[in-house]
Every structure is written in structure tokens, then in C-alpha cells.
Amino acid sequence: MEIKQIGNFQAIALILIIVINYLVLGTPRTLIAETGTGTILNMFYVFLVTIILVFIVTKLFNNFKGKDIVDISEFLGGKVLKFIVGIVYILYFLLILSTTVRIIVQDLEIIYFENVSISVLTLLIIASIVFVYKYGSSAIIKCNSIIAPIAGIIILVIAFSNIQDFSLDRIFPILGFGAKETFITGASNIFAYSGLAILYFIMPMLKDSRNFKKISIVSTILIGILIIGSVSSLVLSFPYIENINEISSLYVESRDISYWQVFQRIDGIFVFSWILALLSYISVVLFFIVIIFRKLTNTKKEFPVVLAFAALTYAATLIPNNIFMIRFLEDVVFKYTNIIVAIFSSFIILILANIKYKFVNRKNNLINNEIKDMPSENLYENRNT
């Protein structure tokens, strides 16, 4: 699974598909539960913080062209740190993947598949992904480049199709639960941008690593548009969105959309795109899990690794046995795991690696300068010694 020729559009699509599934998952409801009517203001604030962090990340990667976070960890702390970071990211991707799949499949069962058990529905979805891998990772990336933009556009269409029901009165009080909740505790809503974790792994795959900064900034802006659009629509449409607990808040919006007398109840289109986005999401996350695993183990055969992690994902998906555990996973585990692993841990590793890089370079420069300043006879004697 060596991919070294990913274009800008394909790279951006890989990042977007993660966030699209988070939005379908119910992330807007979680965001609004944290900051209430102040969520719109909070989202602009969080977007500003995120774009600054992404800009810093692109600068920190300048010293590590063609490397991902696992390679950088090896530079910082040797093979031990490389192994630890690799395992942490594999567990992180497995946890987030199984949580997302379980919650979305649960919603699909409630909406359309009442007579199909969670285990069977999940098995069908994951088995289809394993089948797709028969065609190679290039097929996955190309398909995702089609699915991600379509799913993103459908989300925005749903978000603004009920614009006639928007009420500006619902954004007041504009600070929601208060300034502290909006700007301090509400800063934890940065987890909504955790799909940008893919940036830590995408550098070695790019056709031109010089486009890394452009890809990062464009991806962040597009994610911001999707998140702010989805959240604004929910805040302006519903007096208290936190009461929508059973199914995806975006699906709730889609049920009320109709275009003239021709298109009634277009929620079916949303659910169809939702399923395609879920399939693409699973494929992409498994793709990165396998890349990390092969980097750690030098495994040559790819398909057995895909089967193993697909089986682990299926098993982990079935662990939650009640709605309370599922909501705990969504509101607590999903949120804070993203913040700790995807946002801060990797950022700290990058900073420390750059400090070491500068220290090593300075030391090497001092040695080179000493050699240059050394008299030729001394230099000859040192070489003989």
C-alpha cells in the first residue's frame, strides 16, 4: 500500500471525509450542548484558533519534508518512541472508527433498518469494505475523491434548505451560557476539527510536498464552512437542539425539506449519501491504520493486515450494549480522545522534534566551523589520529 502520487484534491478529500462523518455522527449536537446559543460565535472563535494551529503545524513540518508523525517520532526519541506513537495512533483510529461506525449504524437501524440487527448491518458494511480492498488502495482514494465532495455539498444543501425557518432570535443570548463557556471551556469544541489529524500522515504521499501548506489551509477552511454551516442551521432552526438525542440532528433537518411538489421527503438522498460516506470513511481510516502498522512491522502482505483490523473494528463496534454507553462514547470518549491524541500530542511531538532538529544542526555547524578554522597541519594530524 505505497501511495506516493496523491494530488491536492485527493488529499483534501481524505481529510474532509473524516469530518463529514463526524457531522453525520451528531457532532453539531455535541457542540451546541456545550455552548448553547453561543455556539455560532464559539465556532468562529474555534476556527480562528484552528487555522493558527494549522499554520504553525505547516511551519513545523518544513524541517521534515516527506516525513509523517511516526517518522518524526523516531527522529525525536528513536525506535521506542516511534513504536509508542504508532501504537497510540492505531488504537486511536480503531477507537474513533468503531465508535463512529456503531453510532451511525445505530441511527441507520432506527431510520430504515428496524428488522436488521446491529451485528448483521455492521458486518455487511465492513465486509463490503474488505471486498473493496481487493481493488487496491488507489481505488479507495479515487472513490473517496468523488464521494467526499458530493457528501459535503449535500450537508450544506440540507443545512440551508430550511432557511425560511431560520430565526435570528434564536442566537440570543449571543454568548450562550456565558463568556467563560463560549471562549474558555468552549475551546474544547476544537475536537470537531480532529479530522485534520490526517495531515500528520499525508506528507509522504503527496506528489509535491511543497503543496502541503496549501492543502492544510484549504482543508481547514472547507471544514470550517461545513461545521459553521451545520451548526448555524441547527441553532437558527431549533429552539433547543440538545433535545434531539435519538438520531442524527442533520437527518432531523433533512426530513422537513421539500422542493415544490416534485421532491418530497428527500431525506432518502441524505441517508444514501450518508451510507456512501460511511463506507468511504471506514476505507480511509483502515488505509491509514494499515500504513502505520506496516511502517512499524515492515509487513509485506497487505490484505491479511486489512482483514485483521477489519475484524477488530467489527468486534469493537459491538461492545456497547445500551444507548447510555453509546452516548458516553460520543459525548466524552470520542471528544476528549480526539483532543488529546489528534490535536495536542502530535503538536507537542512536532515542537520537540523541531527543537532537537535545531540543536543537532547547531551542534553540527559548530563542529564544521571548528574544522574549517583548524590549521591545515592540525587537521592532518587529527585525521591521522
Side-chain angles (χ1 to χ4, degrees):
M1 190 182 287
E2 297 298 325
I3 302 294
K4 297 183 178 179
Q5 297 298 316
I6 292 181
N8 295 0
F9 183 79
Q10 291 174 323
I12 292 170
L14 287 174
I15 299 168
L16 287 183
I17 198 64
I18 308 293
V19 177
I20 286 168
N21 275 270
Y22 290 175
L23 293 175
V24 173
L25 173 72
T27 294
R29 181 187 61 82
T30 305
L31 296 171
I32 294 170
E34 183 73 29
T35 49
T37 54
T39 307
I40 297 178
L41 180 60
N42 171 262
M43 283 297 97
F44 279 102
Y45 163 67
V46 169
F47 171 74
L48 180 61
V49 172
T50 304
I51 202 79
I52 292 172
L53 287 175
V54 168
F55 181 78
I56 295 172
V57 166
T58 60
K59 289 293 184 182
L60 293 174
F61 262 104
N62 284 341
N63 293 325
F64 302 98
K65 297 291 185 183
K67 305 294 183 182
D68 62 22
I69 194 66
V70 178
D71 300 321
I72 294 171
S73 299
E74 184 176 14
F75 168 79
L76 177 62
K79 292 187 181 297
V80 173
L81 185 60
K82 173 186 177 180
F83 184 79
I84 292 172
V85 171
I87 292 298
V88 167
Y89 255 105
I90 287 174
L91 293 175
Y92 161 73
F93 280 134
L94 279 174
L95 175 62
I96 298 304
L97 177 60
S98 58
T99 301
T100 306
V101 172
R102 176 54 192 266
I103 295 171
I104 293 179
V105 169
Q106 182 92 23
D107 289 346
L108 287 173
E109 184 196 36
I110 294 172
I111 297 168
Y112 276 128
F113 303 100
E114 294 181 3
N115 297 323
V116 182
S117 68
I118 291 287
S119 58
V120 173
L121 192 56
T122 306
L123 181 61
L124 289 173
I125 289 173
I126 293 182
S128 64
I129 297 304
V130 173
F131 175 77
V132 169
Y133 262 92
K134 287 285 188 180
Y135 296 94
S137 51
S138 296
I140 291 170
I141 293 172
K142 289 176 182 177
C143 288
N144 181 70
S145 299
I146 298 172
I147 294 172
I150 292 174
I153 291 170
I154 288 176
I155 285 177
L156 290 177
V157 168
I158 289 171
F160 293 100
S161 288
N162 290 322
I163 194 169
Q164 71 277 3
D165 298 324
F166 287 3
S167 174
L168 290 177
D169 292 337
R170 294 188 179 121
I171 68 172
F172 297 105
I174 199 166
L175 290 177
F177 302 133
K180 178 183 176 182
E181 286 74 12
T182 300
F183 296 109
I184 300 177
T185 59
S188 63
N189 281 343
I190 198 172
F191 83 92
Y193 288 84
S194 57
L196 290 168
I198 299 299
L199 290 174
Y200 291 114
F201 297 94
I202 212 165
M203 174 83 83
M205 307 175 193
L206 299 177
K207 286 181 179 178
D208 188 349
S209 60
R210 291 174 297 181
N211 291 329
F212 178 70
K213 181 178 179 181
K214 183 191 301 182
I215 291 168
S216 303
I217 299 298
V218 171
S219 298
T220 306
I221 292 172
L222 292 176
I223 291 171
I225 291 171
L226 286 172
I227 293 174
I228 293 172
S230 300
V231 167
S232 300
S233 173
L234 292 171
V235 170
L236 295 171
S237 299
F238 298 94
Y240 193 45
I241 191 65
E242 191 181 4
N243 290 328
I244 302 175
N245 284 320
E246 288 79 14
I247 54 179
S248 167
S249 48
L250 286 174
Y251 174 74
V252 172
E253 279 196 293
S254 70
R255 289 189 305 184
D256 296 328
I257 297 173
S258 62
Y259 291 104
W260 309 287
Q261 299 298 319
V262 180
F263 300 105
Q264 301 288 330
R265 291 296 302 271
I266 67 167
D267 52 291
I269 298 175
F270 171 65
V271 172
F272 179 69
S273 70
W274 180 356
I275 294 172
L276 290 179
L278 176 62
L279 293 173
S280 190
Y281 166 77
I282 298 171
S283 303
V284 168
V285 177
L286 279 177
F287 167 73
F288 283 101
I289 289 174
V290 173
I291 283 178
I292 297 169
F293 183 81
R294 294 183 69 189
K295 189 182 287 283
L296 296 179
T297 61
N298 294 322
T299 305
K300 294 183 179 180
K301 292 185 178 180
E302 174 187 328
F303 194 66
V305 179
V306 173
L307 283 175
F309 283 110
L312 283 173
T313 302
Y314 177 70
T317 301
L318 300 181
I319 291 176
N321 54 14
N322 58 64
I323 191 66
F324 299 104
M325 185 179 292
I326 292 172
R327 291 310 171 197
F328 175 76
L329 287 172
E330 179 182 355
D331 297 335
V332 179
V333 176
F334 179 84
K335 178 177 181 178
Y336 292 103
T337 302
N338 274 315
I339 292 174
I340 294 170
V341 178
I343 298 174
F344 289 112
S345 297
S346 300
F347 188 69
I348 291 171
I349 289 172
L350 267 178
I351 292 175
L352 294 177
N354 272 270
I355 292 173
K356 180 178 179 179
Y357 179 87
K358 290 182 179 179
F359 176 78
V360 171
N361 269 7
R362 187 178 303 167
K363 185 177 179 180
N364 290 337
N365 288 335
L366 286 173
I367 293 173
N368 291 333
N369 289 334
E370 288 178 1
I371 293 174
K372 288 179 181 178
D373 296 337
M374 190 177 294
S376 57
E377 59 272 13
N378 292 343
L379 182 60
Y380 177 76
E381 289 174 5
N382 285 337
R383 285 177 177 173
N384 287 336
T385 304

